[in-house]
Every structure is written in structure tokens, then in C-alpha cells.
Amino acid sequence: MDLWNLLQWPAMAVTITASWLVASSRAERRRYGFWVFIVSNALWIAWAVPSKAWALVVLQAALFAMNLRGAAKTDAAQDA
């Protein structure tokens, strides 16, 4: 396994951490979770492009947009 393929493991760990944070009942943790998800999207894209996993790139780009929306809505709800 080359070093580039090892990027899958931190991407997976960050995704699991983000999922745990977003499921929290505390608004601050949920807000932080969306930003952690955005990091995971970037990690998955960084792995998928050299692997030519184009469906994963498209999926992560769409999830990136949804996570930005989730972060914005969580911030707006917290400010209200």
C-alpha cells in the first residue's frame, strides 16, 4: 500500500468524529461538527482525485455544500 492510500484512514476517523459531533444535543458541538465534516470532505477529495474515484469526488463536493449549509443554519439558530 502506498502512502497516498493511507489518507483513507484519517479521512475515515475525521468523518466518524464529525458524525458524533453533529449528533450532539449541544449546539456548539453540532456547529463544530459541520466544520469537521468539511475537513473530512477535503480529505476524501484529496484521496479520490489521484485514485480517479470520480463518483466519490462528486459525492464529497455535494456533501461539502450541504455541510456549509448546515454550519450556516446552525450558526443562525444559535444567534437567534
Side-chain angles (χ1 to χ4, degrees):
M1 182 185 322
D2 63 9
L3 289 176
W4 196 251
N5 276 328
L6 292 177
L7 186 57
Q8 295 176 86
W9 294 101
M12 180 203 60
V14 171
T15 302
I16 291 168
T17 302
S19 297
W20 182 80
L21 289 166
V22 168
S24 175
S25 59
R26 293 178 54 193
E28 183 66 24
R29 281 188 185 160
R30 282 192 310 273
R31 185 172 62 84
Y32 183 63
F34 282 111
W35 291 105
V36 176
F37 258 132
I38 289 168
V39 171
S40 84
N41 299 139
L43 288 170
W44 280 115
I45 289 170
W47 176 83
V49 169
S51 300
K52 297 183 176 144
W54 305 120
L56 184 59
V57 172
V58 172
L59 172 65
Q60 292 302 318
L63 292 172
F64 173 82
M66 287 188 241
N67 288 320
L68 282 177
R69 180 176 178 259
K73 289 180 80 90
T74 303
D75 285 343
Q78 193 171 11
D79 291 340

